[in-house]
Amino acid sequence: MPAPLVAAPAALKAVGYAAAGAATLWAIARARRAAGPRPEGEEAALDALPQGLDVTYGPEADRGRSDLRGRWTRVLRLGPHGPGVAVDLAAMARLRVASVPARGRAGRGTR
């Protein structure tokens, strides 16, 4: 009976792939259900961004702050007349850097 011994590793591998596929489909379904509606104010702010990348530095009173805004939209196609995907990437970020005074040193033997 060598056939069952040969088929066992293949069957185990198939069961593993099926379990991984089921887990992936479950995660996708759960993410779609949990997403819910997006806030309109945030969507409107991202839609209002102009194309390109914009980096601004704060005025002298707000030194150490820089803002970054950018938007990139493209249609990516498979072939000149093939199906495609519309990509709209928009992001806003803020970076603040400030100096912090040094801490006093701990006593000897303490950390």
Side-chain angles (χ1 to χ4, degrees):
M1 292 220 225
L5 295 177
V6 173
L12 287 175
K13 193 168 265 198
V15 168
Y17 285 136
T24 302
L25 289 175
W26 175 80
I28 290 171
R30 183 177 170 139
R32 285 184 180 173
R33 196 173 344 124
R38 291 183 174 87
E40 292 180 23
E42 294 174 8
E43 286 289 320
L46 291 174
D47 289 339
L49 289 174
Q51 282 285 339
L53 188 65
D54 181 29
V55 179
T56 57
Y57 300 101
E60 288 299 317
D62 200 12
R63 288 179 77 183
R65 174 181 166 174
S66 62
D67 298 326
L68 174 88
R69 293 178 292 276
R71 186 168 187 183
W72 182 76
T73 57
R74 294 290 184 270
V75 175
L76 306 174
R77 294 198 177 274
L78 297 174
H81 304 291
V85 176
V87 178
D88 183 2
L89 176 68
M92 296 190 305
R94 176 181 64 202
L95 173 67
R96 287 186 188 168
V97 179
S99 63
V100 178
R103 292 190 211 176
R105 290 187 167 210
R108 198 167 253 230
T110 60
R111 290 188 182 229

